[in-house]
């Protein structure tokens, strides 16, 4: 009975820790966005709708991050991490197209070539994606190893 | 496997931080980048070229140098035929510095006249295409372009010769006076001479005259040209109609003959 109570207490403690961790991480990421957004405004403000799409991106990214933290130590954590990495790559591909932005205002036309920046970002997010896959494999491997040890 | 995964995580995190910091600083630097244009200067040179100088002030208070700054101006006529093209290139505009760039655009009046005499006698609009580009923070090439029209004022706007007035100057010589007028709509003062040949209806040269003029920009010229012609029955009958051949010489360009019939 006492052991059961201790186990329940541990579960509550663990879930509380996950919630606190997810909250702190979400606040930190939002703070970074909050501080960087005014700095990015002069450049990306020229592109209509880009700052709004960044807002949506940050919201979805934070949501996936919270879900990943809440499902920590389960295989779902890696599902959400993978979804996060894929969402990042997908967002980049959809929002940046070929990496060349063209904005026209009256008879002025501004072209910004972000190809190099875009390539580096996609490469980094692909490394992130590969890392989540490796983590998932490692998790399943450790789980299988632990159960085989128990059977022995 | 945990250690390599962790190392991979640390490495990507470092790269992400570097990338985000770079982008944030680059974007923030745009705010501290100021472009300003000075008063444009117009001048003509002895080679018959009209030089338009535009001072451009760049105050780069950002965190990154601007590389490969280029400014290109293309003048073209209404049909899109290129009249002139000029480029200005600055390899580096260092950060924290104020740089002045003088962009010279040369417009050759001779090449303008090759495209048609309307630029000499009629006001016109030239199409101007300006393109400016730079490599910002060595990673973000950017380019801005615009099109506008440049009003071209004709130096001999509304050039006209009146009907010749015949008179007698001696028993063998006649005096012919021809009124001449035009307006200088160009952005430069006009100093030169006009040579006019008077031909009769049989294409025989009756006389030749030259007149000097000095017409400041925006003012008009009203004068007359006098010819001495041989006086005989045959010449009098054929001189009632004919044509003028007019040659313009303004120092930095020459044009002619412009043929104007009379009679």
């Amino acid at each position: 009975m006492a052991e059961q109570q201790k186990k329940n207490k541990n579960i509550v403690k663990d879930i509380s820790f996950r919630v606190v961790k997810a909250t702190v991480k979400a606040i930190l990421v939002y703070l970074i966005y909050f501080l960087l957004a005014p700095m990015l405004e002069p450049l990306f403000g020229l592109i209509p709708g880009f700052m709004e799409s960044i807002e949506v991106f940050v919201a979805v990214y934070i949501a996936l991050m919270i879900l990943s933290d809440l499902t920590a130590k389960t295989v779902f954590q890696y599902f959400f991490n993978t979804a996060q990495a894929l969402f990042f790559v997908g967002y980049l591909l959809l929002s940046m197209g070929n990496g060349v932005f063209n904005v026209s205002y009256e008879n002025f036309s501004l072209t910004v070539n972000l190809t190099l920046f875009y390539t580096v970002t996609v490469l980094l997010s692909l490394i992130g994606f590969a890392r989540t896959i490796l983590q998932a494999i490692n998790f399943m491997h450790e789980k299988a190893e632990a159960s085989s040890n128990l059977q022995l | 496997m945990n250690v390599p995964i962790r190392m991979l995580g640390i490495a990507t995190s470092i790269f992400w931080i570097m990338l985000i910091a770079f982008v944030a600083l680059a974007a923030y630097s745009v705010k501290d980048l100021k472009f300003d244009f000075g008063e444009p200067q117009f001048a003509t040179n002895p080679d018959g070229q009209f030089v338009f100088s535009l001072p451009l002030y760049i105050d780069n208070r950002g965190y990154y140098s601007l590389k490969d700054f280029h400014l290109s101006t293309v003048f073209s006529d209404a049909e899109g035929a290129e009249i002139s093209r000029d480029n200005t290139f600055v390899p580096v505009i260092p950060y924290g510095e104020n740089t002045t760039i003088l962009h010279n655009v040369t417009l050759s009046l001779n090449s303008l006249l090759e495209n048609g005499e309307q630029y000499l006698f009629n006001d016109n609009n030239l199409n101007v295409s300006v393109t400016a580009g730079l490599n910002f923070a060595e990673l973000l090439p950017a380019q801005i372009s615009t099109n506008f029209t440049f009003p071209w004022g004709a130096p001999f706007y509304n050039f006209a010769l009146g009907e010749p007035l015949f008179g007698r100057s001696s028993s063998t010589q006649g005096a012919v006076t021809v009124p001449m007028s035009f307006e200088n709509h160009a952005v430069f003062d006009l100093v030169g001479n006009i040579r006019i040949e008077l031909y009769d209806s049989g294409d025989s040269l009756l006389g030749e005259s030259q007149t000097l003029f000095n017409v400041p920009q925006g003012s008009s010229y009203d004068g007359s040209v006098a010819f001495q012609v041989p006086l005989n029955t045959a010449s009098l009958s054929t001189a009632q109609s004919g044509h003028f051949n007019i040659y313009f010489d303004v120092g930095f360009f020459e044009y002619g003959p412009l043929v104007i019939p009379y009679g």
Side-chain angles (χ1 to χ4, degrees), chain A residues 36 39-40 42-44 88 107-114 116-117 120-121 124-125 127 131 134-135 138 142, chain B residues 1-2 5 8-9 12 15-16 19-20 23-24 27-28 30-31 139-148:
Chain A
L36 288 182
M39 293 172 103
L40 297 170
L43 187 66
F44 294 123
F88 197 94
N107 62 340
F108 285 90
S109 169
L110 174 72
T111 308
V112 183
N113 189 345
L114 296 172
L116 200 59
F117 163 74
V120 172
T121 314
L124 280 178
S125 44
I127 293 171
R131 186 173 153 255
L134 282 175
Q135 280 175 325
N138 187 47
E142 280 177 354
Chain B
M1 204 162 167
N2 272 328
I5 290 169
L8 200 61
T12 45
F15 281 122
W16 272 119
L19 189 71
I20 290 167
V23 171
Y28 196 67
V30 173
K31 192 175 73 69
L139 194 68
L140 305 169
Q143 184 170 289
I144 190 162
S145 57
T146 186
N147 292 302
F148 58 90

Side-chain angles (χ1 to χ4, degrees), chain A residues 89-130:
Chain A
V89 177
Y91 173 80
L92 279 175
L93 288 173
L94 288 171
S95 67
M96 297 183 94
N98 60 358
V100 179
F101 282 102
N102 205 321
V103 191
S104 294
Y105 178 72
E106 291 182 351
N107 62 340
F108 285 90
S109 169
L110 174 72
T111 308
V112 183
N113 189 345
L114 296 172
T115 316
L116 200 59
F117 163 74
Y118 174 64
T119 311
V120 172
T121 314
V122 169
L123 280 175
L124 280 178
S125 44
L126 281 175
I127 293 171
F129 174 70

Side-chain angles (χ1 to χ4, degrees), chain A residues 28-105:
Chain A
L28 272 175
V29 170
Y30 187 76
L31 262 177
I32 291 169
Y33 164 72
F34 188 77
L35 292 171
L36 288 182
M39 293 172 103
L40 297 170
E41 180 76 42
L43 187 66
F44 294 123
L46 297 169
I47 304 157
F50 194 74
M51 287 308 285
E52 289 80 3
S53 80
I54 286 180
E55 254 172 58
V56 175
F57 165 76
V58 170
V60 176
Y61 193 82
I62 289 175
L64 286 170
M65 201 177 68
I66 291 170
L67 287 170
S68 164
D69 285 334
L70 291 177
T71 54
K73 293 175 192 168
T74 68
V75 77
F76 297 109
Q77 178 188 16
Y78 304 105
F79 285 178
F80 289 119
N81 281 346
T82 309
Q84 211 176 348
L86 281 175
F87 170 71
F88 197 94
V89 177
Y91 173 80
L92 279 175
L93 288 173
L94 288 171
S95 67
M96 297 183 94
N98 60 358
V100 179
F101 282 102
N102 205 321
V103 191
S104 294
Y105 178 72

Side-chain angles (χ1 to χ4, degrees), chain B residues 37 54 71-74 103 128-132 144-148:
Chain B
F37 293 98
L54 180 72
L71 185 61
S72 160
T73 308
V74 180
H103 180 55
V128 187
S129 170
V130 181
T131 305
I144 190 162
S145 57
T146 186
N147 292 302
F148 58 90

